[in-house]
Amino acid sequence: MREIKVSLVGFGNVGRATAKVLIEKGRLFEERYGIRINVISISDTSGTVWLPEGIDLREALLVKENFGRLSAWTNDYEVYELTPEEAVREVDSEIVVDVTNDREAWTWHLRALKEGKGIVTSNKPPLAYHYRELISEAEKRELPYLFEATVMAGTPIVGLLRENLLGDEVQRIEAVLNATTTFILTQMERGLSFEEALAKAQKLGIAERDPSGDVLGIDAGYKATILHCLAFHPITYEEIKVRGIAEVTEGEIERAKTKGKTIRLVARIEKGNVVVEPAEIPKESPLAVESHENAAVIKTDLLGELIIKGAGAGLKETASGVVSDVIKAALRLV
Amino acid sequence: MREIKVSLVGFGNVGRATAKVLIEKGRLFEERYGIRINVISISDTSGTVWLPEGIDLREALLVKENFGRLSAWTNDYEVYELTPEEAVREVDSEIVVDVTNDREAWTWHLRALKEGKGIVTSNKPPLAYHYRELISEAEKRELPYLFEATVMAGTPIVGLLRENLLGDEVQRIEAVLNATTTFILTQMERGLSFEEALAKAQKLGIAERDPSGDVLGIDAGYKATILHCLAFHPITYEEIKVRGIAEVTEGEIERAKTKGKTIRLVARIEKGNVVVEPAEIPKESPLAVESHENAAVIKTDLLGELIIKGAGAGLKETASGVVSDVIKAALRLV
């Protein structure tokens, strides 16, 4: 049995879902992969809990869920005031897992790589703005830098493009990559106004209190940028065109319906050209997804069209991608 | 630039399609991966052409296509009478590519592994009957044993199950894995009898002269066996239940149609239980594929349902899987 030491940075919804999977399935992973995943530090915005022997994840969840912050933990554990940059430098882990929304996380991703640590991330902006630097630093140091959960939650489109189809050239990807906009558009098809649909999404926890990331297409844009980096060459979010769904009218929804079509926020990704915008989709198209499903149609020179479709949101669905990457990173590092 | 020496065993349709991709895209692979794939031997049933400096694949294709056998090659090349077992022992290659239909190929796969060579195969029976031995020999020796093209041609369902979803447990797979039966059933829906549809498939080269492998469900059964090995644990083809489409009547086809359904040869794969048989599928199901498309619905504990759909047959589509695996094996060996 080989032990791998992990720092978990971020203990919000995705971080806690990841911890739950590690609690429930840790034993199974030991049997299946011969690897014990030992979380030795957890950081949230209140501080960093760090225990070199490993943290009891059940207790960490209890503290967080009862008190809302890790710094409330006072019995056996030391809570340190460390920035993420300090944490990745000081904590002796082998893999750093970023499940934050920190837009500037790329700085401490780079720091972690320079310290010889692998990275697993569900956090999109580092890749959407700094793909080239991060991947080349990781390659130079032969360290894993894995990001399955950044696009389509755990549905393995990143693994598919990054580690498979090695003889194919991708010609085009068309994809629906944001579930919140799908929910809002579906509700509008049922007669709600944009504002009503958005309010419903917020009430159900599908949209955030500040919904701009989803509604303006930024989230889908980040993901489309990452897919372009994988399929073609590194670009940044600034180089793509994005129009969200805020201006989609009830009239447009109706017109699409009468033509047997449906409007979805579609990303079209070609070499050097990425456009994210609302588009009419035939009802029978694989992109006419419902609920929290995402879908991508990947066209390549040898294979033709390949469709991958699955969960694009959800906590355990996102944790699926994070945990798969942690295991993958661990298997490469042992 | 690192060179990797490859033995190509089999020079039928898939072998030649593979050679064509290597000719057309070899330069690109050198740039992209820093690897030169050098085929130093090619075997067909007439003999083995072997040149330690590397074979001119263009010439090999010309000889094969003009004379039907490699042993007709008499100018610069030596043609040896070697069994595949002798070829993998004597030829100094690093990767052996099996694109034959040799049912007993597992013996020389094992031999190749024992000689320290990696394997890439599109040949199904070795895996459908000897998965456990072959994979454990490869793991013991830390050699690649790759078989993307055995299931769904180059559509990367093998890579998806083998190298991704590492934190998920698969609960069930439902899949349509044989394109010839889909063609025949589609033709029957258009009014042809089974015999007429089969004759048409044979005329178009979709079904073989001896169509039993497809029609009796053996091909789909091999693939379903391999998927079970990947998703659960090793089994053999003898342990699964297979019923082909030879007994599907025009009446059954009609009855399905009136219910808005379609009959396809469906593989249902659960832990310890694999059944391949004709089944009624709703028209809107992802399994209601047309033409040469295959589809699989993979249900897991964390992700829920994941759908992958793409080419399940075709020469360059199969070569896509073989070539991707050759590159993957080369990247691991360098």
Side-chain angles (χ1 to χ4, degrees), chain B residues 26-52:
Chain B
R27 186 65 59 88
L28 178 74
F29 300 154
E30 289 176 19
E31 287 166 22
R32 195 185 284 173
Y33 304 111
I35 284 170
R36 176 172 297 141
I37 297 162
N38 192 6
V39 177
I40 63 166
S41 77
I42 308 179
S43 309
D44 71 1
T45 46
S46 78
T48 294
V49 180
W50 173 17
L51 196 71

Side-chain angles (χ1 to χ4, degrees), chain A residues 63-312:
Chain A
V63 170
K64 182 77 178 179
E65 274 158 17
N66 286 315
F67 301 101
R69 57 195 171 82
L70 283 170
S71 63
W73 208 346
T74 49
N75 52 354
D76 304 333
Y77 291 94
E78 295 275 6
V79 182
Y80 301 86
E81 282 186 29
L82 296 170
T83 63
E85 178 121 13
E86 289 163 344
V88 301
R89 209 167 47 216
E90 302 209 0
V91 176
D92 175 34
S93 55
E94 293 152 281
I95 300 171
V96 174
V97 179
D98 175 7
V99 283
T100 71
N101 296 312
D102 181 358
R103 289 180 51 88
E104 298 304 322
W106 69 281
T107 57
W108 50 269
H109 287 197
L110 272 184
R111 166 57 55 199
L113 291 168
K114 285 175 181 154
E115 299 283 335
K117 295 169 180 167
I119 295 272
V120 170
T121 179
S122 65
N123 183 16
K124 294 172 271 288
L127 286 151
Y129 289 98
H130 302 278
Y131 189 96
R132 189 189 299 270
E133 296 151 79
L134 290 164
I135 298 299
S136 63
E137 188 68 31
E139 283 176 358
K140 197 173 80 185
R141 294 174 188 274
E142 296 186 356
L143 288 168
Y145 186 98
L146 305 178
F147 49 91
E148 188 58 72
T150 58
V151 188
M152 289 177 80
T155 302
I157 188 170
V158 172
L160 192 151
L161 287 169
R162 201 174 183 196
E163 296 155 25
N164 292 283
L165 303 176
L166 301 179
D168 278 64
E169 276 149 287
V170 176
Q171 295 168 328
R172 188 183 66 231
I173 302 174
E174 292 194 328
V176 173
L177 300 171
N178 178 275
T180 307
T181 49
T182 298
F183 178 85
I184 292 171
L185 293 166
T186 312
Q187 294 298 314
M188 287 175 76
E189 282 167 8
R190 291 179 194 162
L192 267 56
S193 70
F194 174 77
E195 288 72 20
E196 289 165 338
L198 173 57
K200 187 169 176 184
Q202 286 173 313
K203 204 174 151 195
L204 292 170
I206 293 168
E208 288 169 66
R209 215 171 308 160
D210 173 4
S212 53
D214 291 322
V215 164
L216 300 181
I218 299 168
D219 175 77
Y222 286 162
K223 293 166 176 169
T225 304
I226 295 170
L227 291 185
H228 185 283
C229 295
L230 283 166
F232 301 107
H233 55 79
I235 56 164
T236 71
Y237 179 73
E238 277 123 2
E239 296 169 65
I240 77 167
K241 293 190 199 76
V242 175
R243 188 161 56 89
I245 64 159
E247 287 147 40
V248 175
T249 64
E250 289 146 68
E252 285 171 317
I253 298 269
E254 273 313 305
R255 269 196 300 285
K257 250 168 101 172
T258 58
K259 288 187 274 183
K261 295 188 171 182
T262 182
I263 295 182
R264 292 288 178 268
L265 184 62
V266 175
R268 291 207 168 83
I269 300 150
E270 291 175 330
K271 193 171 185 171
N273 187 30
V274 178
V275 180
V276 176
E277 61 185 5
E280 286 185 358
I281 297 292
K283 287 270 186 205
E284 62 280 10
S285 160
L287 297 181
V289 287
E290 301 283 336
S291 81
H292 73 315
E293 221 177 38
N294 282 185
V297 181
I298 301 166
K299 189 164 185 298
T300 78
D301 58 341
L302 300 176
L303 257 191
E305 275 193 6
L306 165 66
I307 295 163
I308 181 165
K309 205 167 166 176

Side-chain angles (χ1 to χ4, degrees), chain A residues 25 33 166 168 301 320, chain B residues 25 33 166 168 301 309 320:
Chain A
K25 306 185 75 170
Y33 304 111
L166 301 179
D168 278 64
D301 58 341
S320 158
Chain B
K25 306 186 76 169
Y33 304 111
L166 301 179
D168 278 65
D301 58 341
K309 204 166 164 177
S320 158

Side-chain angles (χ1 to χ4, degrees), chain B residues 125 130 151 157 161 182 205 274 287 309 314 322:
Chain B
H130 302 278
V151 189
I157 188 169
L161 287 169
T182 297
V274 179
L287 297 181
K309 204 166 164 177
V322 173

